[in-house]
Amino acid sequence: MEIRLSRKEDLEEIMAIYEHARQFMREHDNPRQWSAYGWPPQELIEKDIEEHKGYVAVENGDIAAVFFYDEGRSVEPTYEVIEGGKWIGDEDYAVVHRIASSGKYKGAGSFCIRWACEKSGHLRMDTHEDNYVMQNCLKKLGFEYCGIIYVRTDHDPRLAYEWIREGK
C-alpha cells in the first residue's frame, strides 16, 4: 500500500468510500457521527484536494482509504480547549481527520495513521464517543486518551487522543 495526495479525478471514488464509511458506522452502533449530517460534504473534500491536505492509500490501483492530514503549530483550532484532561505535548503536531476505508483492504485505516505518525512524530486525533472501532484502533496504535474537545460544526463532543514518538 502507498500513500499519495488525492486528486480531482479521485473525487467520485472518495465520496463512495465516505458513503461506505457512513453505512459501516450505522451498522456498528455509531449512527450519529457522520450519518446525521452527511459528513463530510463534497465541497470540503474538494478543498482538501486543492490545498494538498487530502490523501489516499492506494493498493492494486484501488483507493483503499482516504484522509485529511495537516501539521503545524495550531493546525486544529478545536484542540485549543480540552476538557477533562490535557494534551501530552506542547510542540507542533499533525492531525488526521475524515479517515475512511473502502472496506476492501484489511488494515488500510491503521496503515494511514501509522504513515501520519512516521511523517510527523506527533499526532493528535479525535473521534465520536460511539466510534468504538476508531477508539480501539487508536489504543492499539499506542495513542493516549487526553480528554474531550468540541467540533466546530455542531459543538458535538469528541474523544481526543495523542501520540508522540519516543525521544521527540
Side-chain angles (χ1 to χ4, degrees), residues 28-58:
H28 290 84
D29 300 321
N30 184 11
R32 298 179 299 141
Q33 185 173 357
W34 286 358
S35 293
Y37 308 102
W39 192 258
Q42 182 169 322
E43 299 80 29
L44 183 58
I45 303 311
E46 290 171 350
K47 182 179 176 196
D48 291 350
I49 293 169
E50 290 169 13
E51 294 180 352
H52 304 288
K53 295 179 182 178
Y55 289 82
V56 292
V58 179

Side-chain angles (χ1 to χ4, degrees), residues 120-139:
S120 70
H122 183 183
L123 189 63
R124 292 179 179 174
M125 293 182 67
D126 64 85
T127 193
H128 195 278
E129 65 183 346
D130 293 339
N131 194 338
Y132 302 111
V133 172
M134 181 55 73
Q135 290 171 44
N136 289 331
C137 176
L138 293 173
K139 289 173 190 171

Side-chain angles (χ1 to χ4, degrees), residues 79-158:
Y79 289 176
E80 296 298 320
V81 176
I82 186 166
E83 293 181 358
K86 66 178 187 170
W87 294 113
I88 302 164
D90 191 33
E91 60 280 341
D92 290 3
Y93 61 91
V95 295
V96 166
H97 290 312
R98 300 185 285 284
I99 187 166
S101 167
S102 69
K104 297 176 187 175
Y105 300 95
K106 186 169 175 57
S110 295
F111 181 86
C112 296
I113 295 169
R114 284 193 304 272
W115 174 89
C117 288
E118 283 302 311
K119 184 171 175 56
S120 70
H122 183 183
L123 189 63
R124 292 179 179 174
M125 293 182 67
D126 64 85
T127 193
H128 195 278
E129 65 183 346
D130 293 339
N131 194 338
Y132 302 111
V133 172
M134 181 55 73
Q135 290 171 44
N136 289 331
C137 176
L138 293 173
K139 289 173 190 171
K140 285 180 184 177
L141 292 172
F143 281 73
E144 291 184 45
Y145 171 76
C146 294
I148 297 175
I149 59 98
Y150 293 86
V151 294
R152 287 179 292 216
T153 51
D154 60 4
H155 303 293
D156 205 27
R158 295 290 189 270

